[in-house]
Amino acid sequence: SIFENLSSGTYQAIAQDELGCFVLFDFTIVEPIPVDITIVPNFILPEVCDGDLNGEFSIDISGGNMPYSVVLDDANGTYVTGTLTQTRFDFTGLSGGDHIVYVRDALGCESEWNITFPESILIDSEVVVEFGCTNNLSTNMVTVTVDGDQVNLSDLDYSLDGGPYQTSNIFIDVPPGLNHFIDIRHSNGCIKRTELFDVSQFAPLQLALQDGQLNEIVAATSGGASPYEYTLNGQSFGNTNTFLIYESGDYTVTVTDSNGCTAIATKYFEFIDVCIPNYFVPENGGWGPGCTSQYKDMTFDIFDRYGRKIATLGVDEKWDGKYHGKELPTGDYWYVVKLNDNRNDREFVGHFTLYR
């Protein structure tokens, strides 16, 4: 006695028993008013900046049978059922882009509605701080770059530390300090702030030449930005700030810091040659050439008056006046000193006197 899936219209039903007695029943199925929704005027607030999740809109439902139930973007999600007379539903905390509202009325009739919702703006930025040098003073340039695949760059302008906006994404000579930032503004009103960045302060680059160890020049540098690079009389020494000299004269050192600033200093330095004593007394110490600290591979040989080699020694070593552990007598002895230096490969030949 149940008839299902009937369309709207007028029907007549008959019930009849086995003797032929019957009764007629006329009835009408009325087509329900379909569910419809409208956007509530002035209640659509887009998510301006991607990730803010502050978009909102409200809908008004009509037709069907109340109460209505709604869910957003997920047909299998949890429906929210309104009151018996509620027709307006609010959706908040939304991301940009279209959304789908699923509606179910009291009789279980379901429908879905696409809500055209503005796309939000994604501003993905990076800040680069570059330093330079003008008139031997440090300068800087701060550049903020934005991913052009996500946004039209012509729609952006930029503000440094809350200052006025400008169309250029480059800021020149930003004052030194910590926690600078740049606000990036889109024409739709979205404003995104970059990560905080610091701008270092550099004192003027200064250079002074000082005496180091024997025949050594030390370039004392202050200010500027490390690492430094040095040249001595035009020859590059990389980041080495000490130099050995092999003759007396004026020496010019140039230092260049990582920002491109340079400082130059010139000073006269006197070269001290190898010191060779002409006698020695074993009780007062051994014999050997002095002033040789820069010649790390130096060697010297000692011979007696018959040409017999008595000893072969190196830098900072001394002969004790013995041969195979036995003391040699007073007399003259010969030497051959070899510097073995690729810049000063000289030899010294002479004699000295051993006194006992």
Side-chain angles (χ1 to χ4, degrees):
S1 61
I2 297 176
F3 302 94
E4 296 179 322
N5 299 323
L6 302 179
S7 61
S8 61
T10 300
Y11 294 87
Q12 185 179 73
I14 182 172
Q16 179 176 305
D17 66 7
E18 62 180 2
L19 298 179
C21 297
F22 66 90
V23 63
L24 299 176
F25 176 70
D26 296 317
F27 63 94
T28 301
I29 293 179
V30 179
E31 182 175 7
I33 300 175
V35 171
D36 191 20
I37 71 169
T38 57
I39 301 294
V40 178
N42 301 322
F43 278 90
I44 183 167
L45 301 175
E47 180 197 39
V48 178
C49 294
D50 182 81
D52 288 351
L53 297 179
N54 58 359
E56 301 179 14
F57 67 83
S58 299
I59 62 171
D60 193 60
I61 305 176
S62 60
N65 294 272
M66 295 189 290
Y68 303 114
S69 300
V70 298
V71 67
L72 185 68
D73 293 330
D74 183 5
N76 297 317
T78 301
Y79 281 78
V80 175
T81 302
T83 65
L84 292 177
T85 60
Q86 181 180 348
T87 61
R88 174 172 166 170
F89 293 84
D90 301 321
F91 300 93
T92 61
L94 305 179
S95 61
D98 291 356
H99 293 275
I100 298 177
V101 176
Y102 296 91
V103 179
R104 180 185 295 160
D105 73 358
L107 297 181
C109 294
E110 297 181 346
S111 59
E112 61 182 69
W113 305 84
N114 186 78
I115 307 299
T116 301
F117 201 60
E119 293 285 349
S120 54
I121 297 299
L122 175 60
I123 299 177
D124 187 10
S125 65
E126 180 182 8
V127 175
V128 177
V129 182
E130 298 175 289
F131 294 94
C133 188
T134 301
N135 296 326
N136 220 32
L137 295 176
S138 177
T139 59
N140 67 68
M141 179 175 69
V142 177
T143 303
V144 54
T145 56
V146 177
D147 186 353
D149 294 334
Q150 306 291 341
V151 65
N152 187 346
L153 300 182
S154 63
D155 292 331
L156 304 177
D157 54 8
Y158 311 87
S159 165
L160 174 67
D161 296 335
Y165 280 89
Q166 64 181 45
T167 57
S168 174
N169 65 324
I170 298 175
F171 296 85
I172 302 296
D173 290 337
V174 175
L178 305 178
N179 299 327
H180 289 286
F181 61 87
I182 295 174
D183 287 329
I184 306 169
R185 182 177 64 181
H186 190 271
S187 56
N188 78 335
C190 174
I191 297 178
K192 277 295 184 181
R193 180 164 294 182
T194 65
E195 292 185 356
L196 300 178
F197 61 92
D198 302 333
V199 176
S200 301
Q201 183 171 14
F202 300 100
L205 183 64
Q206 295 181 335
L207 175 65
L209 302 185
Q210 303 171 351
D211 291 313
Q213 298 180 7
L214 183 68
N215 295 329
E216 183 183 56
I217 300 174
V218 176
T221 305
S222 62
S226 61
Y228 306 112
E229 293 187 4
Y230 298 88
T231 65
L232 175 67
N233 291 348
Q235 179 182 355
S236 175
F237 280 78
N239 59 6
T240 300
N241 70 323
T242 58
F243 320 95
L244 294 175
I245 64 172
Y246 293 87
E247 60 180 308
S248 299
D250 288 331
Y251 288 87
T252 299
V253 176
T254 301
V255 59
T256 303
D257 72 359
S258 60
N259 294 337
C261 293
T262 60
I264 301 174
T266 300
K267 185 178 178 180
Y268 177 84
F269 289 89
E270 183 176 355
F271 174 72
I272 305 299
D273 207 346
V274 177
C275 311
I276 300 179
N278 55 15
Y279 73 94
F280 89 108
V281 178
E283 290 79 5
N284 297 333
W287 184 94
C291 311
T292 57
S293 58
Q294 71 190 92
Y295 306 112
K296 304 302 181 183
D297 297 322
M298 184 207 74
T299 61
F300 63 95
D301 299 322
I302 298 176
F303 304 86
D304 64 14
R305 61 180 178 174
Y306 303 107
R308 178 180 57 176
K309 184 185 291 187
I310 297 172
T312 297
L313 301 169
V315 65
D316 295 331
E317 291 184 312
K318 300 294 183 182
W319 180 53
D320 59 4
K322 296 179 181 180
Y323 180 64
H324 293 319
K326 295 181 179 181
E327 294 182 351
L328 294 180
T330 297
D332 288 341
Y333 294 84
W334 292 83
Y335 62 82
V336 176
V337 178
K338 297 180 180 180
L339 299 184
N340 297 320
D341 187 273
N342 57 2
R343 293 188 56 185
N344 191 0
D345 192 17
R346 291 182 295 160
E347 292 186 5
F348 301 83
V349 179
H351 63 87
F352 63 93
T353 302
L354 166 63
Y355 292 105
R356 290 196 180 276

